[in-house]
């Protein structure tokens, strides 16, 4: 025998609503709760240049609440196979076509990465103020113009989007 408990909200002992269930069956646990998590990986090797270019790493989320914050986390694999031990790598983060980081040169991810294959984890908090789909993507460039690579030999990079209800 299966039992069913029906209701629109659950309250704590003082009568404050602790959990709400909307007409679509979505559970709202209130402010500062994780609403959803989206992930995407990318592993096609990319030769970097001195101009910013899409790395192929992106993810799309449709926020459930217009006042949510989106925690964007990405872990990208880079290899500096250049001839200079002082080479630098830079990234930009975009929401759709809007650059989110405030620097024209990009965020410096590493310096002196000659023959170094490594993963770099970076994060950003955004407030898109929408319930429409938004896409976050990463662009990168190498300052010296030598042979830096992203996702070398199919090593995957990952982006994680976490919607946090405010």
């Amino acid at each position: 025998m299966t039992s069913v408990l029906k209701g629109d909200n659950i309250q704590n002992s003082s009568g404050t609503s602790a959990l709400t269930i909307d007409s679509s069956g979505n559970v709202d646990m209130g402010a500062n709760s994780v609403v959803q998590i989206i992930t995407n990986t990318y592993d096609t090797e990319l030769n970097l240049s001195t101009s910013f270019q899409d790395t192929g790493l992106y993810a799309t989320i449709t926020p459930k609440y217009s006042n949510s914050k989106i925690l964007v986390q990405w872990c990208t694999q880079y290899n500096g196979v250049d001839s200079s031990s002082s080479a630098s790598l830079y990234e930009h983060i975009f929401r759709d076509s809007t650059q989110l980081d405030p620097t024209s040169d990009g965020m410096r991810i590493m310096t002196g990465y000659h023959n170094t294959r490594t993963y770099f984890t970076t994060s950003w908090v955004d407030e898109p103020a929408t319930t429409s789909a938004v896409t976050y993507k990463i662009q990168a460039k190498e300052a010296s113009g030598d042979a830096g690579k992203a996702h070398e030999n199919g090593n995957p990079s990952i982006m994680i989007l976490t919607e946090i209800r405010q």
Side-chain angles (χ1 to χ4, degrees), residues 14 52 57 59 61 71 74-75 89 94 129 151-152 155 162 165:
S14 65
F52 278 103
L57 186 58
I61 191 168
L71 173 60
W74 64 100
C75 183
L89 178 83
F94 285 82
H151 331 294
E152 186 179 40
N155 288 309
T162 304
R165 173 92 188 264

Side-chain angles (χ1 to χ4, degrees), residues 19-67:
L19 183 79
T20 304
I21 303 169
D22 69 18
S23 61
S24 298
N26 296 316
V27 176
D28 177 5
M29 297 185 346
N32 300 314
S33 60
V34 172
V35 177
Q36 61 177 317
I37 298 173
I38 305 293
T39 63
N40 194 26
T41 60
Y42 189 78
D43 62 4
T44 301
E45 187 172 296
L46 172 69
N47 292 317
L48 299 173
S49 71
T50 56
S51 298
F52 278 103
Q53 63 195 90
D54 289 348
T55 63
L57 186 58
Y58 73 92
T60 301
I61 191 168
T62 304
K64 293 189 187 278
Y65 303 97
S66 63
N67 66 339

Side-chain angles (χ1 to χ4, degrees), residues 102-157:
T103 62
S104 60
D105 290 336
M107 300 176 286
R108 182 179 291 190
I109 300 303
M110 62 180 154
T111 300
Y113 71 114
H114 175 66
N115 286 329
T116 303
R117 182 179 299 124
T118 190
Y119 281 86
F120 286 88
T121 302
T122 314
S123 58
W124 193 270
V125 176
D126 186 37
E127 298 180 52
T130 186
T131 56
S132 297
V134 292
T135 299
Y136 293 91
K137 71 177 182 178
I138 303 302
Q139 289 188 346
K141 76 172 186 175
E142 184 181 82
S144 69
D146 289 326
K149 296 180 183 237
H151 331 294
E152 186 179 40
N153 297 323
N155 288 309
S157 298

Side-chain angles (χ1 to χ4, degrees), residues 85-99:
S85 62
S86 62
S88 295
L89 178 83
Y90 297 88
E91 288 182 333
H92 279 312
I93 179 172
F94 285 82
R95 178 194 342 108
D96 296 328
S97 61
T98 302
Q99 180 183 319

Side-chain angles (χ1 to χ4, degrees), residues 1-5:
M1 175 178 199
T2 302
S3 298
V4 176
L5 176 64

